[in-house]
Amino acid sequence: MLNLDRLRTLSAVARHGSVSAAADGLHVTTSAVSQQLAKLERETGQQLLAKNGRGVRLTDAGRLLADHAVRILSQVELAQAELEAHRGQAVGELRLGAFPTAARGLFPAALAGLRTGHPQLRPLLREMEPDASVRCVVRGDIDLGVVLDWHNRPLSLPDGLAKAPILNDPADVAMPADHPLAHRESVELKDLADDEWVSWPQGEFCHDWLMFTLRSQGIEPRISHMVEEHHTQLALIGAGLGVAVAPRLGRGPVPEGVRVVPVRHTMRRHVYAIWRADADRRPSIRAAVAALRAAGKEVEGR
């Protein structure tokens, strides 16, 4: 009899390419991964891993079993979803991922609503960027992710995922309070062509969107600072160090010395929940989507 936890461990090694990366993805120690794989080799009577320099690689038997493991684990997930649907109750563990401003702006209310409405459900939140959420949902590392795209830059999702809109999040431009445009009712991006910008880190979806958007307006952006957290961006702007796009979700109080001005042609982020289509019938997924939508309506109504 093949053990599901050990198959899940083998599948993680195949996906991540190493024992240490699989351990990180599974949130266990490398020793635990090695022990699970050693037991799986004894159970199957096959060598599943071979040394490859300082790391390991899957043997032919290991790749064969890893391919089967993907299908087996998918069928198990489908069976669990159908059993949960048959029971009709949201119960058990639900692993969630969300980008930082959604974690701050949506999840406190959504998780509180789930605790009240579904006391037998145990949601577990991990903060992660949208592209990481997509990968984790596809691999089965999380059950539901909250991701985003922009009005002019849609997010491409792989096959096999379902999604539901949560809210539309307008974005303003944040600038120092003594900026020449700070007292306007609205601005155009072209008005800021000569400004220095504070951006998200290079390689992130929102950084790529900002570069694309400014260049589409004929602006070659001068990026002076790249920081992750919006609150840090606003602190830099309050010190007079540039301007930035400032989405409203999770923004909180604007620091003294910063003014946020709407953009005349509204910039919006679209926020979605995504999950594996084979888990579509799970009441826990539906409960989480409903709680997130309710939290999104509260945000949009402010």
Side-chain angles (χ1 to χ4, degrees):
M1 182 69 69
L2 294 171
N3 180 282
L4 289 178
D5 286 338
R6 289 164 200 154
L7 288 178
R8 192 171 284 109
T9 300
L10 178 66
S11 180
V13 172
R15 287 196 313 268
H16 294 287
S18 72
V19 170
S20 59
D24 289 340
L26 294 169
H27 304 286
V28 298
T29 65
T30 55
S31 175
V33 170
S34 297
Q35 289 174 21
Q36 289 282 59
L37 294 174
K39 290 178 181 178
L40 187 58
E41 287 186 328
R42 289 197 295 270
E43 289 173 352
T44 59
Q46 298 275 347
Q47 182 181 359
L48 304 176
L49 296 178
K51 289 185 178 180
N52 185 29
R54 294 185 178 180
V56 297
R57 62 173 177 81
L58 294 180
T59 63
D60 290 344
R63 284 195 297 270
L64 176 65
L65 186 55
D67 289 342
H68 280 291
V70 171
R71 293 190 290 273
I72 291 167
L73 294 170
S74 178
Q75 283 298 116
V76 169
E77 184 171 347
L78 182 60
Q80 290 173 333
E82 291 186 352
L83 283 171
E84 191 178 320
H86 182 73
R87 181 186 291 183
Q89 295 179 334
V91 298
E93 186 175 281
L94 184 69
R95 300 161 299 168
L96 307 165
F99 59 94
T101 50
R104 182 166 61 246
L106 286 174
F107 273 82
L111 293 175
L114 285 173
R115 175 178 289 182
T116 300
H118 305 279
Q120 296 183 67
L121 183 64
R122 184 170 174 252
L124 304 172
L125 174 62
R126 290 169 54 193
E127 191 176 282
M128 60 181 69
E129 289 301 315
D131 56 348
S133 281
V134 172
R135 291 194 300 270
C136 285
V137 170
V138 168
R139 295 194 304 246
D141 295 338
I142 62 174
D143 301 302
L144 181 145
V146 174
V147 301
L148 65 90
D149 63 19
W150 289 86
H151 65 290
N152 60 341
R153 193 82 173 208
L155 178 68
S156 177
L157 293 177
D159 293 338
L161 296 187
K163 72 175 185 177
I166 301 300
L167 83 157
N168 290 323
D169 179 32
D172 306 310
V173 174
M175 60 187 70
D178 60 359
H179 192 284
L181 306 179
H183 297 290
R184 286 195 184 181
E185 291 187 4
S186 63
V187 294
E188 297 276 7
L189 290 178
K190 289 181 179 180
D191 298 334
L192 303 160
D194 296 326
D195 282 272
E196 295 180 85
W197 286 82
V198 179
S199 170
W200 296 269
Q202 194 167 7
E204 287 193 6
F205 181 76
C206 287
H207 173 86
D208 294 343
W209 165 82
L210 179 64
M211 302 296 285
F212 169 81
T213 300
L214 293 176
R215 286 170 176 161
S216 70
Q217 297 285 320
I219 303 168
E220 184 53 40
R222 292 189 297 148
I223 306 296
S224 295
H225 308 286
M226 292 185 286
V227 295
E228 184 76 43
E229 283 289 331
H230 287 183
H231 288 173
T232 307
Q233 293 180 5
L234 293 176
L236 292 171
I237 292 162
L241 298 174
V243 301
V245 171
R248 297 179 189 175
L249 177 64
R251 181 192 294 168
V254 175
E256 187 175 348
V258 177
R259 172 99 160 86
V260 290
V261 182
V263 177
R264 199 163 297 132
H265 295 95
T266 305
M267 299 184 296
R268 291 183 181 275
R269 300 191 302 180
H270 307 299
V271 180
Y272 304 95
I274 61 170
W275 61 93
R276 289 169 63 102
D278 54 14
D280 199 50
R281 296 183 61 201
R282 289 181 61 183
S284 56
I285 295 287
R286 297 183 181 185
V289 171
L292 287 164
R293 281 179 161 169
K297 285 183 179 179
E298 287 185 20
V299 171
E300 290 178 324
R302 292 172 188 162

